[in-house]
Amino acid sequence: MLYAELSSWWPVFSPPEVYAERAALFAEILKKACNPKLVLELGCGGGSMAWHLKKHFEMHLADISPQMLRVAAQLNPDCERFQADMREARLNRTYDAVFLNDAVMYMKTEEDLRKTMATAYAHVRPGGAALFVPDATEETFLERTEQGGGELDGREGRYMAWFRDPDPTDGVYEVDFAILLCERDGQVRCLHDHHECGVFPRGSWLRWLKEAGFQAEKIAYHSEMFLGRRG
Ligand SMILES: C[S@@+](CC[C@H](N)C(=O)[O-])C[C@H]1O[C@@H](n2cnc3c(N)ncnc32)[C@H](O)[C@@H]1O
């Protein structure tokens, strides 16, 4: 629902300004890794992160959701865009770097995550790198709530996201969003959206990246990220 019917609300909930600090960090990591000129973002969502990163690199954007790509296009009309599943995409070109932030957690199985790593590898030129930023690893996942929201052009949205792991042995956690939307006429509605996400041990991340062909390393910041270099 969040990435389809509610896509037009994305800039209300999550305006580009809130991405500035993390975007600066990702730009620094990518520059240090391979000094890229051209970067592909898989799972670009509404394009808010790309809006910052394009000040440093030429960005191409891919997402499985046509609605989210339309939102990304409004913010980034200057970026090439592709509707593509990160597990299957083959764009028949290579990039200096591939970037996945806040999207790779939708890979719920080892098979899907390995397919996504293969997609990244297929699109990184030799000497380039792929940066994977999952929400958490098995070692760092925390049950918690997060809240946020904002307003834009007379519309307001607020959400609370509840991260839970009812079965810590199955490699999947759940996120339930309670969403309040206030239209321009003042009418408020309340919606619920349920997401299921994959969480894997950091050792598996590193092993699967190596098996996909990358030289793999873990980068520790607030959360963990994984950098795969293509030799
Ligand atoms: C939270 S948004 C991403 C935000 C964006 N990466 C950023 O940092 O601003 C998650 C996105 O992942 C996309 N997504 C989920 N599964 C996908 C898949 N299999 N292939 C490509 N995109 C996918 C969703 O459509 C959604 O737009």
Side-chain angles (χ1 to χ4, degrees):
M1 183 194 285
L2 207 50
Y3 306 132
E5 298 98 294
L6 295 187
S7 59
S8 77
W9 285 89
W10 199 255
V12 181
F13 288 128
S14 201
E17 303 83 74
V18 302
Y19 294 73
E21 193 183 326
R22 286 190 57 85
L25 172 73
F26 297 143
E28 191 187 314
I29 293 170
L30 287 168
K31 282 181 188 173
K32 221 160 131 186
C34 61
N35 203 18
K37 302 264 176 297
L38 179 62
V39 176
L40 172 66
E41 181 175 3
L42 295 172
C44 66
S48 292
M49 191 58 80
W51 187 79
H52 291 280
L53 292 178
K54 73 184 180 187
K55 293 170 196 153
H56 303 269
F57 322 116
E58 182 181 346
M59 297 295 298
H60 286 192
L61 311 179
D63 201 282
I64 198 169
S65 157
Q67 295 95 328
M68 290 304 280
L69 276 176
R70 275 199 289 277
V71 178
Q74 284 162 10
L75 209 50
N76 303 291
D78 47 336
C79 297
E80 268 191 53
R81 296 169 305 276
F82 309 92
Q83 188 192 347
D85 185 326
M86 63 176 78
R87 293 165 290 194
E88 314 287 346
R90 291 297 179 270
L91 304 177
N92 297 319
R93 62 170 307 167
T94 57
Y95 292 83
D96 301 316
V98 172
F99 172 61
L100 299 95
N101 174 55
D102 197 21
V104 72
M105 71 281 189
Y106 288 111
M107 301 302 104
K108 289 197 297 183
T109 62
E110 172 181 342
E111 185 188 358
D112 282 351
L113 182 55
R114 281 178 179 265
K115 281 184 172 179
T116 299
M117 290 172 174
T119 299
Y121 190 79
H123 291 88
V124 171
R125 65 159 170 82
L131 180 62
F132 295 80
V133 189
D135 182 46
T137 58
E138 213 169 87
E139 292 82 356
T140 60
F141 177 82
L142 281 179
E143 294 204 79
R144 65 193 187 277
T145 56
E146 288 179 2
Q147 58 175 336
E151 49 186 295
L152 185 70
D153 298 336
R155 295 195 299 170
E156 286 188 48
R158 300 281 183 267
Y159 69 87
M160 191 271 282
W162 184 12
F163 293 73
R164 296 183 307 126
D165 192 1
D167 178 357
T169 64
D170 67 356
V172 174
Y173 63 94
E174 300 181 10
V175 191
D176 284 278
F177 288 86
I179 301 168
L180 286 166
L181 304 176
C182 181
E183 301 282 357
R184 289 188 184 91
D185 63 5
Q187 296 248 18
V188 178
R189 59 197 160 110
C190 176
L191 301 165
H192 168 231
D193 201 22
H194 178 76
H195 295 215
E196 292 188 356
C197 302
V199 62
F200 304 96
R202 59 172 76 101
S204 301
W205 268 95
L206 292 168
R207 182 159 49 82
W208 298 338
L209 281 169
K210 278 182 199 148
E211 287 172 8
F214 289 111
Q215 294 152 17
E217 66 186 89
K218 177 173 78 69
I219 298 176
Y221 185 60
H222 288 323
S223 54
E224 288 176 356
M225 319 173 201
F226 296 93
L227 185 73
R229 294 172 196 272
R230 182 168 176 169

